[in-house]
PDB file of all heavy atoms in Angstrom:
ATOM      1  N   ALA D   1     -16.199-108.843 -13.554  1.00  0.00           N
ATOM      2  CA  ALA D   1     -16.925-108.350 -14.721  1.00  0.00           C
ATOM      3  C   ALA D   1     -18.142-109.196 -15.061  1.00  0.00           C
ATOM      4  O   ALA D   1     -19.013-108.765 -15.804  1.00  0.00           O
ATOM      5  CB  ALA D   1     -15.977-108.305 -15.923  1.00  0.00           C
ATOM      6  N   PHE D   2     -18.206-110.427 -14.509  1.00  0.00           N
ATOM      7  CA  PHE D   2     -19.332-111.304 -14.826  1.00  0.00           C
ATOM      8  C   PHE D   2     -20.537-111.048 -13.924  1.00  0.00           C
ATOM      9  O   PHE D   2     -21.582-111.636 -14.114  1.00  0.00           O
ATOM     10  CB  PHE D   2     -18.904-112.776 -14.709  1.00  0.00           C
ATOM     11  CG  PHE D   2     -17.871-113.158 -15.728  1.00  0.00           C
ATOM     12  CD1 PHE D   2     -16.534-113.185 -15.383  1.00  0.00           C
ATOM     13  CD2 PHE D   2     -18.232-113.456 -17.027  1.00  0.00           C
ATOM     14  CE1 PHE D   2     -15.579-113.529 -16.327  1.00  0.00           C
ATOM     15  CE2 PHE D   2     -17.287-113.807 -17.969  1.00  0.00           C
ATOM     16  CZ  PHE D   2     -15.955-113.839 -17.611  1.00  0.00           C
ATOM     17  N   GLU D   3     -20.377-110.198 -12.893  1.00  0.00           N
ATOM     18  CA  GLU D   3     -21.499-109.897 -12.032  1.00  0.00           C
ATOM     19  C   GLU D   3     -22.546-109.100 -12.799  1.00  0.00           C
ATOM     20  O   GLU D   3     -22.232-108.275 -13.656  1.00  0.00           O
ATOM     21  CB  GLU D   3     -21.031-109.105 -10.803  1.00  0.00           C
ATOM     22  CG  GLU D   3     -20.267-109.954  -9.794  1.00  0.00           C
ATOM     23  CD  GLU D   3     -19.949-109.159  -8.545  1.00  0.00           C
ATOM     24  OE1 GLU D   3     -20.186-107.945  -8.535  1.00  0.00           O
ATOM     25  OE2 GLU D   3     -19.457-109.754  -7.586  1.00  0.00           O
ATOM     26  N   LYS D   4     -23.809-109.325 -12.467  1.00  0.00           N
ATOM     27  CA  LYS D   4     -24.898-108.648 -13.134  1.00  0.00           C
ATOM     28  C   LYS D   4     -24.970-107.195 -12.698  1.00  0.00           C
ATOM     29  O   LYS D   4     -24.954-106.895 -11.512  1.00  0.00           O
ATOM     30  CB  LYS D   4     -26.210-109.373 -12.802  1.00  0.00           C
ATOM     31  CG  LYS D   4     -27.418-108.843 -13.554  1.00  0.00           C
ATOM     32  CD  LYS D   4     -28.641-109.631 -13.152  1.00  0.00           C
ATOM     33  CE  LYS D   4     -29.887-109.094 -13.855  1.00  0.00           C
ATOM     34  NZ  LYS D   4     -31.096-109.822 -13.437  1.00  0.00           N
ATOM     35  N   GLY D   5     -25.015-106.267 -13.644  1.00  0.00           N
ATOM     36  CA  GLY D   5     -25.097-104.859 -13.326  1.00  0.00           C
ATOM     37  C   GLY D   5     -26.485-104.481 -12.840  1.00  0.00           C
ATOM     38  O   GLY D   5     -27.445-105.234 -12.961  1.00  0.00           O
ATOM     39  N   VAL D   6     -26.585-103.279 -12.270  1.00  0.00           N
ATOM     40  CA  VAL D   6     -27.855-102.776 -11.761  1.00  0.00           C
ATOM     41  C   VAL D   6     -28.535-101.977 -12.870  1.00  0.00           C
ATOM     42  O   VAL D   6     -27.992-100.990 -13.360  1.00  0.00           O
ATOM     43  CB  VAL D   6     -27.640-101.891 -10.519  1.00  0.00           C
ATOM     44  CG1 VAL D   6     -28.973-101.361 -10.009  1.00  0.00           C
ATOM     45  CG2 VAL D   6     -26.931-102.682  -9.429  1.00  0.00           C
ATOM     46  N   LYS D   7     -29.717-102.410 -13.268  1.00  0.00           N
ATOM     47  CA  LYS D   7     -30.466-101.737 -14.316  1.00  0.00           C
ATOM     48  C   LYS D   7     -31.468-100.760 -13.709  1.00  0.00           C
ATOM     49  O   LYS D   7     -31.800-100.843 -12.526  1.00  0.00           O
ATOM     50  CB  LYS D   7     -31.201-102.767 -15.181  1.00  0.00           C
ATOM     51  CG  LYS D   7     -30.272-103.731 -15.907  1.00  0.00           C
ATOM     52  CD  LYS D   7     -31.060-104.731 -16.737  1.00  0.00           C
ATOM     53  CE  LYS D   7     -30.133-105.701 -17.453  1.00  0.00           C
ATOM     54  NZ  LYS D   7     -30.878-106.705 -18.237  1.00  0.00           N
ATOM     55  N   LEU D   8     -31.941 -99.851 -14.552  1.00  0.00           N
ATOM     56  CA  LEU D   8     -32.921 -98.871 -14.095  1.00  0.00           C
ATOM     57  C   LEU D   8     -34.194 -99.548 -13.595  1.00  0.00           C
ATOM     58  O   LEU D   8     -34.833 -99.081 -12.649  1.00  0.00           O
ATOM     59  CB  LEU D   8     -33.249 -97.906 -15.240  1.00  0.00           C
ATOM     60  CG  LEU D   8     -33.990 -96.621 -14.853  1.00  0.00           C
ATOM     61  CD1 LEU D   8     -33.131 -95.772 -13.926  1.00  0.00           C
ATOM     62  CD2 LEU D   8     -34.372 -95.834 -16.090  1.00  0.00           C
ATOM     63  N   LYS D   9     -34.547-100.665 -14.217  1.00  0.00           N
ATOM     64  CA  LYS D   9     -35.725-101.411 -13.776  1.00  0.00           C
ATOM     65  C   LYS D   9     -35.558-101.918 -12.346  1.00  0.00           C
ATOM     66  O   LYS D   9     -36.517-101.908 -11.554  1.00  0.00           O
ATOM     67  CB  LYS D   9     -35.972-102.587 -14.728  1.00  0.00           C
ATOM     68  CG  LYS D   9     -37.242-103.359 -14.446  1.00  0.00           C
ATOM     69  CD  LYS D   9     -37.448-104.467 -15.464  1.00  0.00           C
ATOM     70  CE  LYS D   9     -38.719-105.256 -15.182  1.00  0.00           C
ATOM     71  NZ  LYS D   9     -38.912-106.351 -16.174  1.00  0.00           N
ATOM     72  N   ASP D  10     -34.341-102.368 -11.993  1.00  0.00           N
ATOM     73  CA  ASP D  10     -34.074-102.823 -10.629  1.00  0.00           C
ATOM     74  C   ASP D  10     -34.254-101.684  -9.628  1.00  0.00           C
ATOM     75  O   ASP D  10     -34.817-101.878  -8.544  1.00  0.00           O
ATOM     76  CB  ASP D  10     -32.646-103.380 -10.519  1.00  0.00           C
ATOM     77  CG  ASP D  10     -32.415-104.575 -11.426  1.00  0.00           C
ATOM     78  OD1 ASP D  10     -33.355-105.368 -11.582  1.00  0.00           O
ATOM     79  OD2 ASP D  10     -31.314-104.704 -11.978  1.00  0.00           O
ATOM     80  N   ILE D  11     -33.769-100.482  -9.991  1.00  0.00           N
ATOM     81  CA  ILE D  11     -33.905 -99.310  -9.115  1.00  0.00           C
ATOM     82  C   ILE D  11     -35.380 -98.948  -8.944  1.00  0.00           C
ATOM     83  O   ILE D  11     -35.829 -98.593  -7.848  1.00  0.00           O
ATOM     84  CB  ILE D  11     -33.121 -98.116  -9.684  1.00  0.00           C
ATOM     85  CG1 ILE D  11     -31.644 -98.472  -9.883  1.00  0.00           C
ATOM     86  CG2 ILE D  11     -33.248 -96.910  -8.762  1.00  0.00           C
ATOM     87  CD1 ILE D  11     -30.877 -98.692  -8.630  1.00  0.00           C
ATOM     88  N   ALA D  12     -36.143 -99.029 -10.042  1.00  0.00           N
ATOM     89  CA  ALA D  12     -37.569 -98.698  -9.982  1.00  0.00           C
ATOM     90  C   ALA D  12     -38.320 -99.644  -9.046  1.00  0.00           C
ATOM     91  O   ALA D  12     -39.125 -99.208  -8.213  1.00  0.00           O
ATOM     92  CB  ALA D  12     -38.173 -98.753 -11.387  1.00  0.00           C
ATOM     93  N   ILE D  13     -38.047-100.947  -9.172  1.00  0.00           N
ATOM     94  CA  ILE D  13     -38.707-101.939  -8.307  1.00  0.00           C
ATOM     95  C   ILE D  13     -38.314-101.716  -6.853  1.00  0.00           C
ATOM     96  O   ILE D  13     -39.165-101.753  -5.945  1.00  0.00           O
ATOM     97  CB  ILE D  13     -38.339-103.365  -8.763  1.00  0.00           C
ATOM     98  CG1 ILE D  13     -38.917-103.642 -10.159  1.00  0.00           C
ATOM     99  CG2 ILE D  13     -38.833-104.399  -7.761  1.00  0.00           C
ATOM    100  CD1 ILE D  13     -38.438-104.931 -10.784  1.00  0.00           C
ATOM    101  N   MET D  14     -37.025-101.464  -6.616  1.00  0.00           N
ATOM    102  CA  MET D  14     -36.549-101.232  -5.256  1.00  0.00           C
ATOM    103  C   MET D  14     -37.206 -99.992  -4.645  1.00  0.00           C
ATOM    104  O   MET D  14     -37.635-100.011  -3.481  1.00  0.00           O
ATOM    105  CB  MET D  14     -35.026-101.075  -5.269  1.00  0.00           C
ATOM    106  CG  MET D  14     -34.393-100.863  -3.902  1.00  0.00           C
ATOM    107  SD  MET D  14     -34.323 -99.133  -3.348  1.00  0.00           S
ATOM    108  CE  MET D  14     -33.134 -98.465  -4.507  1.00  0.00           C
ATOM    109  N   SER D  15     -37.323 -98.912  -5.425  1.00  0.00           N
ATOM    110  CA  SER D  15     -37.942 -97.675  -4.927  1.00  0.00           C
ATOM    111  C   SER D  15     -39.410 -97.909  -4.579  1.00  0.00           C
ATOM    112  O   SER D  15     -39.901 -97.427  -3.549  1.00  0.00           O
ATOM    113  CB  SER D  15     -37.826 -96.569  -5.981  1.00  0.00           C
ATOM    114  OG  SER D  15     -36.483 -96.314  -6.310  1.00  0.00           O
ATOM    115  N   ARG D  16     -40.107 -98.650  -5.437  1.00  0.00           N
ATOM    116  CA  ARG D  16     -41.523 -98.937  -5.189  1.00  0.00           C
ATOM    117  C   ARG D  16     -41.687 -99.763  -3.906  1.00  0.00           C
ATOM    118  O   ARG D  16     -42.562 -99.482  -3.075  1.00  0.00           O
ATOM    119  CB  ARG D  16     -42.104 -99.694  -6.384  1.00  0.00           C
ATOM    120  CG  ARG D  16     -43.559-100.080  -6.259  1.00  0.00           C
ATOM    121  CD  ARG D  16     -44.458 -98.870  -6.427  1.00  0.00           C
ATOM    122  NE  ARG D  16     -44.383 -98.348  -7.787  1.00  0.00           N
ATOM    123  CZ  ARG D  16     -44.889 -97.177  -8.155  1.00  0.00           C
ATOM    124  NH1 ARG D  16     -45.487 -96.416  -7.263  1.00  0.00           N
ATOM    125  NH2 ARG D  16     -44.781 -96.759  -9.412  1.00  0.00           N
ATOM    126  N   GLN D  17     -40.851-100.787  -3.734  1.00  0.00           N
ATOM    127  CA  GLN D  17     -40.953-101.634  -2.546  1.00  0.00           C
ATOM    128  C   GLN D  17     -40.600-100.859  -1.280  1.00  0.00           C
ATOM    129  O   GLN D  17     -41.263-101.004  -0.246  1.00  0.00           O
ATOM    130  CB  GLN D  17     -40.038-102.850  -2.702  1.00  0.00           C
ATOM    131  CG  GLN D  17     -40.491-103.814  -3.793  1.00  0.00           C
ATOM    132  CD  GLN D  17     -39.485-104.922  -4.037  1.00  0.00           C
ATOM    133  OE1 GLN D  17     -38.294-104.767  -3.756  1.00  0.00           O
ATOM    134  NE2 GLN D  17     -39.944-106.037  -4.588  1.00  0.00           N
ATOM    135  N   LEU D  18     -39.560-100.025  -1.349  1.00  0.00           N
ATOM    136  CA  LEU D  18     -39.150 -99.239  -0.185  1.00  0.00           C
ATOM    137  C   LEU D  18     -40.241 -98.248   0.205  1.00  0.00           C
ATOM    138  O   LEU D  18     -40.543 -98.078   1.396  1.00  0.00           O
ATOM    139  CB  LEU D  18     -37.840 -98.506  -0.486  1.00  0.00           C
ATOM    140  CG  LEU D  18     -37.205 -97.729   0.667  1.00  0.00           C
ATOM    141  CD1 LEU D  18     -36.921 -98.646   1.848  1.00  0.00           C
ATOM    142  CD2 LEU D  18     -35.910 -97.054   0.201  1.00  0.00           C
ATOM    143  N   ALA D  19     -40.859 -97.600  -0.800  1.00  0.00           N
ATOM    144  CA  ALA D  19     -41.948 -96.661  -0.529  1.00  0.00           C
ATOM    145  C   ALA D  19     -43.131 -97.367   0.130  1.00  0.00           C
ATOM    146  O   ALA D  19     -43.732 -96.843   1.085  1.00  0.00           O
ATOM    147  CB  ALA D  19     -42.391 -95.990  -1.830  1.00  0.00           C
ATOM    148  N   THR D  20     -43.457 -98.560  -0.355  1.00  0.00           N
ATOM    149  CA  THR D  20     -44.585 -99.318   0.203  1.00  0.00           C
ATOM    150  C   THR D  20     -44.333 -99.703   1.650  1.00  0.00           C
ATOM    151  O   THR D  20     -45.232 -99.570   2.507  1.00  0.00           O
ATOM    152  CB  THR D  20     -44.830-100.588  -0.639  1.00  0.00           C
ATOM    153  OG1 THR D  20     -45.089-100.210  -1.991  1.00  0.00           O
ATOM    154  CG2 THR D  20     -46.018-101.374  -0.108  1.00  0.00           C
ATOM    155  N   MET D  21     -43.123-100.156   1.961  1.00  0.00           N
ATOM    156  CA  MET D  21     -42.812-100.581   3.324  1.00  0.00           C
ATOM    157  C   MET D  21     -42.783 -99.401   4.286  1.00  0.00           C
ATOM    158  O   MET D  21     -43.256 -99.503   5.421  1.00  0.00           O
ATOM    159  CB  MET D  21     -41.473-101.330   3.346  1.00  0.00           C
ATOM    160  CG  MET D  21     -41.571-102.742   2.768  1.00  0.00           C
ATOM    161  SD  MET D  21     -40.073-103.729   3.021  1.00  0.00           S
ATOM    162  CE  MET D  21     -39.019-103.061   1.744  1.00  0.00           C
ATOM    163  N   ILE D  22     -42.242 -98.253   3.835  1.00  0.00           N
ATOM    164  CA  ILE D  22     -42.207 -97.069   4.704  1.00  0.00           C
ATOM    165  C   ILE D  22     -43.622 -96.553   4.952  1.00  0.00           C
ATOM    166  O   ILE D  22     -43.980 -96.182   6.072  1.00  0.00           O
ATOM    167  CB  ILE D  22     -41.310 -95.981   4.074  1.00  0.00           C
ATOM    168  CG1 ILE D  22     -39.850 -96.429   4.121  1.00  0.00           C
ATOM    169  CG2 ILE D  22     -41.477 -94.654   4.810  1.00  0.00           C
ATOM    170  CD1 ILE D  22     -38.902 -95.490   3.423  1.00  0.00           C
ATOM    171  N   ALA D  23     -44.455 -96.549   3.898  1.00  0.00           N
ATOM    172  CA  ALA D  23     -45.846 -96.112   4.057  1.00  0.00           C
ATOM    173  C   ALA D  23     -46.625 -97.048   4.988  1.00  0.00           C
ATOM    174  O   ALA D  23     -47.576 -96.617   5.657  1.00  0.00           O
ATOM    175  CB  ALA D  23     -46.528 -96.045   2.690  1.00  0.00           C
ATOM    176  N   ALA D  24     -46.217 -98.329   5.029  1.00  0.00           N
ATOM    177  CA  ALA D  24     -46.891 -99.305   5.896  1.00  0.00           C
ATOM    178  C   ALA D  24     -46.438 -99.207   7.350  1.00  0.00           C
ATOM    179  O   ALA D  24     -46.972 -99.923   8.208  1.00  0.00           O
ATOM    180  CB  ALA D  24     -46.638-100.712   5.377  1.00  0.00           C
ATOM    181  N   GLY D  25     -45.454 -98.350   7.626  1.00  0.00           N
ATOM    182  CA  GLY D  25     -45.025 -98.133   9.001  1.00  0.00           C
ATOM    183  C   GLY D  25     -43.747 -98.830   9.408  1.00  0.00           C
ATOM    184  O   GLY D  25     -43.333 -98.741  10.569  1.00  0.00           O
ATOM    185  N   LEU D  26     -43.090 -99.527   8.490  1.00  0.00           N
ATOM    186  CA  LEU D  26     -41.819-100.176   8.817  1.00  0.00           C
ATOM    187  C   LEU D  26     -40.734 -99.118   8.965  1.00  0.00           C
ATOM    188  O   LEU D  26     -40.749 -98.095   8.283  1.00  0.00           O
ATOM    189  CB  LEU D  26     -41.416-101.181   7.737  1.00  0.00           C
ATOM    190  CG  LEU D  26     -41.963-102.608   7.872  1.00  0.00           C
ATOM    191  CD1 LEU D  26     -43.449-102.635   7.545  1.00  0.00           C
ATOM    192  CD2 LEU D  26     -41.197-103.547   6.930  1.00  0.00           C
ATOM    193  N   SER D  27     -39.778 -99.379   9.844  1.00  0.00           N
ATOM    194  CA  SER D  27     -38.657 -98.457   9.992  1.00  0.00           C
ATOM    195  C   SER D  27     -37.773 -98.526   8.756  1.00  0.00           C
ATOM    196  O   SER D  27     -37.749 -99.537   8.037  1.00  0.00           O
ATOM    197  CB  SER D  27     -37.850 -98.807  11.241  1.00  0.00           C
ATOM    198  OG  SER D  27     -37.184-100.054  11.062  1.00  0.00           O
ATOM    199  N   LEU D  28     -37.050 -97.449   8.522  1.00  0.00           N
ATOM    200  CA  LEU D  28     -36.180 -97.388   7.349  1.00  0.00           C
ATOM    201  C   LEU D  28     -35.109 -98.471   7.394  1.00  0.00           C
ATOM    202  O   LEU D  28     -34.828 -99.128   6.373  1.00  0.00           O
ATOM    203  CB  LEU D  28     -35.530 -95.999   7.256  1.00  0.00           C
ATOM    204  CG  LEU D  28     -34.593 -95.758   6.067  1.00  0.00           C
ATOM    205  CD1 LEU D  28     -35.325 -95.977   4.744  1.00  0.00           C
ATOM    206  CD2 LEU D  28     -34.005 -94.350   6.126  1.00  0.00           C
ATOM    207  N   LEU D  29     -34.529 -98.705   8.573  1.00  0.00           N
ATOM    208  CA  LEU D  29     -33.485 -99.732   8.702  1.00  0.00           C
ATOM    209  C   LEU D  29     -34.033-101.116   8.388  1.00  0.00           C
ATOM    210  O   LEU D  29     -33.392-101.904   7.685  1.00  0.00           O
ATOM    211  CB  LEU D  29     -32.904 -99.712  10.117  1.00  0.00           C
ATOM    212  CG  LEU D  29     -31.860 -98.633  10.421  1.00  0.00           C
ATOM    213  CD1 LEU D  29     -31.497 -98.663  11.894  1.00  0.00           C
ATOM    214  CD2 LEU D  29     -30.615 -98.835   9.556  1.00  0.00           C
ATOM    215  N   ARG D  30     -35.197-101.393   8.904  1.00  0.00           N
ATOM    216  CA  ARG D  30     -35.783-102.710   8.667  1.00  0.00           C
ATOM    217  C   ARG D  30     -36.140-102.888   7.189  1.00  0.00           C
ATOM    218  O   ARG D  30     -35.923-103.952   6.609  1.00  0.00           O
ATOM    219  CB  ARG D  30     -37.022-102.875   9.542  1.00  0.00           C
ATOM    220  CG  ARG D  30     -37.613-104.274   9.490  1.00  0.00           C
ATOM    221  CD  ARG D  30     -38.778-104.374  10.437  1.00  0.00           C
ATOM    222  NE  ARG D  30     -39.500-105.627  10.268  1.00  0.00           N
ATOM    223  CZ  ARG D  30     -40.713-105.850  10.752  1.00  0.00           C
ATOM    224  NH1 ARG D  30     -41.320-104.904  11.440  1.00  0.00           N
ATOM    225  NH2 ARG D  30     -41.310-106.998  10.562  1.00  0.00           N
ATOM    226  N   ALA D  31     -36.692-101.844   6.581  1.00  0.00           N
ATOM    227  CA  ALA D  31     -37.045-101.913   5.161  1.00  0.00           C
ATOM    228  C   ALA D  31     -35.814-102.144   4.299  1.00  0.00           C
ATOM    229  O   ALA D  31     -35.828-102.964   3.376  1.00  0.00           O
ATOM    230  CB  ALA D  31     -37.760-100.627   4.739  1.00  0.00           C
ATOM    231  N   LEU D  32     -34.734-101.435   4.609  1.00  0.00           N
ATOM    232  CA  LEU D  32     -33.495-101.610   3.846  1.00  0.00           C
ATOM    233  C   LEU D  32     -32.924-103.010   4.051  1.00  0.00           C
ATOM    234  O   LEU D  32     -32.385-103.615   3.109  1.00  0.00           O
ATOM    235  CB  LEU D  32     -32.464-100.557   4.275  1.00  0.00           C
ATOM    236  CG  LEU D  32     -32.737 -99.123   3.816  1.00  0.00           C
ATOM    237  CD1 LEU D  32     -31.775 -98.157   4.493  1.00  0.00           C
ATOM    238  CD2 LEU D  32     -32.607 -99.012   2.295  1.00  0.00           C
ATOM    239  N   SER D  33     -33.026-103.534   5.261  1.00  0.00           N
ATOM    240  CA  SER D  33     -32.529-104.883   5.546  1.00  0.00           C
ATOM    241  C   SER D  33     -33.302-105.927   4.752  1.00  0.00           C
ATOM    242  O   SER D  33     -32.711-106.856   4.175  1.00  0.00           O
ATOM    243  CB  SER D  33     -32.640-105.168   7.042  1.00  0.00           C
ATOM    244  OG  SER D  33     -32.238-106.496   7.319  1.00  0.00           O
ATOM    245  N   ILE D  34     -34.617-105.780   4.696  1.00  0.00           N
ATOM    246  CA  ILE D  34     -35.454-106.728   3.942  1.00  0.00           C
ATOM    247  C   ILE D  34     -35.119-106.666   2.454  1.00  0.00           C
ATOM    248  O   ILE D  34     -34.965-107.696   1.792  1.00  0.00           O
ATOM    249  CB  ILE D  34     -36.945-106.432   4.183  1.00  0.00           C
ATOM    250  CG1 ILE D  34     -37.316-106.725   5.637  1.00  0.00           C
ATOM    251  CG2 ILE D  34     -37.812-107.246   3.236  1.00  0.00           C
ATOM    252  CD1 ILE D  34     -38.706-106.266   6.025  1.00  0.00           C
ATOM    253  N   LEU D  35     -34.984-105.437   1.916  1.00  0.00           N
ATOM    254  CA  LEU D  35     -34.660-105.284   0.495  1.00  0.00           C
ATOM    255  C   LEU D  35     -33.290-105.865   0.174  1.00  0.00           C
ATOM    256  O   LEU D  35     -33.105-106.513  -0.854  1.00  0.00           O
ATOM    257  CB  LEU D  35     -34.703-103.801   0.108  1.00  0.00           C
ATOM    258  CG  LEU D  35     -36.084-103.168  -0.042  1.00  0.00           C
ATOM    259  CD1 LEU D  35     -35.952-101.677  -0.310  1.00  0.00           C
ATOM    260  CD2 LEU D  35     -36.852-103.838  -1.174  1.00  0.00           C
ATOM    261  N   ALA D  36     -32.306-105.614   1.049  1.00  0.00           N
ATOM    262  CA  ALA D  36     -30.945-106.106   0.806  1.00  0.00           C
ATOM    263  C   ALA D  36     -30.894-107.627   0.757  1.00  0.00           C
ATOM    264  O   ALA D  36     -30.131-108.208  -0.019  1.00  0.00           O
ATOM    265  CB  ALA D  36     -30.001-105.583   1.883  1.00  0.00           C
ATOM    266  N   SER D  37     -31.717-108.278   1.569  1.00  0.00           N
ATOM    267  CA  SER D  37     -31.675-109.739   1.632  1.00  0.00           C
ATOM    268  C   SER D  37     -32.539-110.404   0.565  1.00  0.00           C
ATOM    269  O   SER D  37     -32.305-111.559   0.211  1.00  0.00           O
ATOM    270  CB  SER D  37     -32.121-110.211   3.017  1.00  0.00           C
ATOM    271  OG  SER D  37     -33.461-109.811   3.273  1.00  0.00           O
ATOM    272  N   GLN D  38     -33.534-109.680   0.048  1.00  0.00           N
ATOM    273  CA  GLN D  38     -34.489-110.320  -0.853  1.00  0.00           C
ATOM    274  C   GLN D  38     -34.330-109.914  -2.318  1.00  0.00           C
ATOM    275  O   GLN D  38     -34.909-110.571  -3.177  1.00  0.00           O
ATOM    276  CB  GLN D  38     -35.918-110.006  -0.394  1.00  0.00           C
ATOM    277  CG  GLN D  38     -36.267-110.644   0.942  1.00  0.00           C
ATOM    278  CD  GLN D  38     -37.719-110.430   1.326  1.00  0.00           C
ATOM    279  OE1 GLN D  38     -38.454-109.713   0.656  1.00  0.00           O
ATOM    280  NE2 GLN D  38     -38.145-111.064   2.396  1.00  0.00           N
ATOM    281  N   THR D  39     -33.607-108.849  -2.611  1.00  0.00           N
ATOM    282  CA  THR D  39     -33.465-108.438  -4.007  1.00  0.00           C
ATOM    283  C   THR D  39     -32.712-109.490  -4.804  1.00  0.00           C
ATOM    284  O   THR D  39     -31.763-110.115  -4.308  1.00  0.00           O
ATOM    285  CB  THR D  39     -32.747-107.078  -4.102  1.00  0.00           C
ATOM    286  OG1 THR D  39     -32.691-106.676  -5.460  1.00  0.00           O
ATOM    287  CG2 THR D  39     -31.324-107.167  -3.562  1.00  0.00           C
ATOM    288  N   GLU D  40     -33.149-109.718  -6.036  1.00  0.00           N
ATOM    289  CA  GLU D  40     -32.538-110.746  -6.878  1.00  0.00           C
ATOM    290  C   GLU D  40     -31.173-110.311  -7.401  1.00  0.00           C
ATOM    291  O   GLU D  40     -30.309-111.139  -7.658  1.00  0.00           O
ATOM    292  CB  GLU D  40     -33.460-111.076  -8.049  1.00  0.00           C
ATOM    293  CG  GLU D  40     -34.770-111.744  -7.626  1.00  0.00           C
ATOM    294  CD  GLU D  40     -35.655-112.070  -8.814  1.00  0.00           C
ATOM    295  OE1 GLU D  40     -35.235-111.788  -9.952  1.00  0.00           O
ATOM    296  OE2 GLU D  40     -36.752-112.602  -8.613  1.00  0.00           O
ATOM    297  N   ASN D  41     -30.982-109.000  -7.592  1.00  0.00           N
ATOM    298  CA  ASN D  41     -29.718-108.487  -8.107  1.00  0.00           C
ATOM    299  C   ASN D  41     -28.705-108.408  -6.969  1.00  0.00           C
ATOM    300  O   ASN D  41     -28.873-107.637  -6.024  1.00  0.00           O
ATOM    301  CB  ASN D  41     -29.940-107.103  -8.737  1.00  0.00           C
ATOM    302  CG  ASN D  41     -28.717-106.601  -9.479  1.00  0.00           C
ATOM    303  OD1 ASN D  41     -27.670-106.360  -8.891  1.00  0.00           O
ATOM    304  ND2 ASN D  41     -28.851-106.441 -10.779  1.00  0.00           N
ATOM    305  N   LYS D  42     -27.649-109.228  -7.041  1.00  0.00           N
ATOM    306  CA  LYS D  42     -26.680-109.322  -5.958  1.00  0.00           C
ATOM    307  C   LYS D  42     -25.916-108.012  -5.760  1.00  0.00           C
ATOM    308  O   LYS D  42     -25.609-107.630  -4.627  1.00  0.00           O
ATOM    309  CB  LYS D  42     -25.688-110.467  -6.227  1.00  0.00           C
ATOM    310  CG  LYS D  42     -26.346-111.837  -6.332  1.00  0.00           C
ATOM    311  CD  LYS D  42     -27.093-112.200  -5.065  1.00  0.00           C
ATOM    312  CE  LYS D  42     -27.731-113.585  -5.164  1.00  0.00           C
ATOM    313  NZ  LYS D  42     -28.556-113.884  -3.964  1.00  0.00           N
ATOM    314  N   THR D  43     -25.603-107.324  -6.864  1.00  0.00           N
ATOM    315  CA  THR D  43     -24.881-106.058  -6.749  1.00  0.00           C
ATOM    316  C   THR D  43     -25.724-105.025  -6.014  1.00  0.00           C
ATOM    317  O   THR D  43     -25.239-104.321  -5.117  1.00  0.00           O
ATOM    318  CB  THR D  43     -24.511-105.527  -8.150  1.00  0.00           C
ATOM    319  OG1 THR D  43     -23.755-106.519  -8.851  1.00  0.00           O
ATOM    320  CG2 THR D  43     -23.687-104.255  -8.045  1.00  0.00           C
ATOM    321  N   LEU D  44     -26.994-104.936  -6.388  1.00  0.00           N
ATOM    322  CA  LEU D  44     -27.897-104.002  -5.711  1.00  0.00           C
ATOM    323  C   LEU D  44     -28.092-104.411  -4.255  1.00  0.00           C
ATOM    324  O   LEU D  44     -28.165-103.551  -3.362  1.00  0.00           O
ATOM    325  CB  LEU D  44     -29.241-103.947  -6.446  1.00  0.00           C
ATOM    326  CG  LEU D  44     -30.293-102.991  -5.865  1.00  0.00           C
ATOM    327  CD1 LEU D  44     -29.763-101.562  -5.821  1.00  0.00           C
ATOM    328  CD2 LEU D  44     -31.574-103.062  -6.683  1.00  0.00           C
TER     329      LEU D  44
END
């Protein structure tokens, strides 16, 4: 219960970053891997 929940702001930032990486030509798998390792929210 002490883990930080996922807020709408976190989803918005993640969507923006994923869109930018896909538009830049990165593969979906690679973009998701980068987001998973770099996002500050551990649950997300």
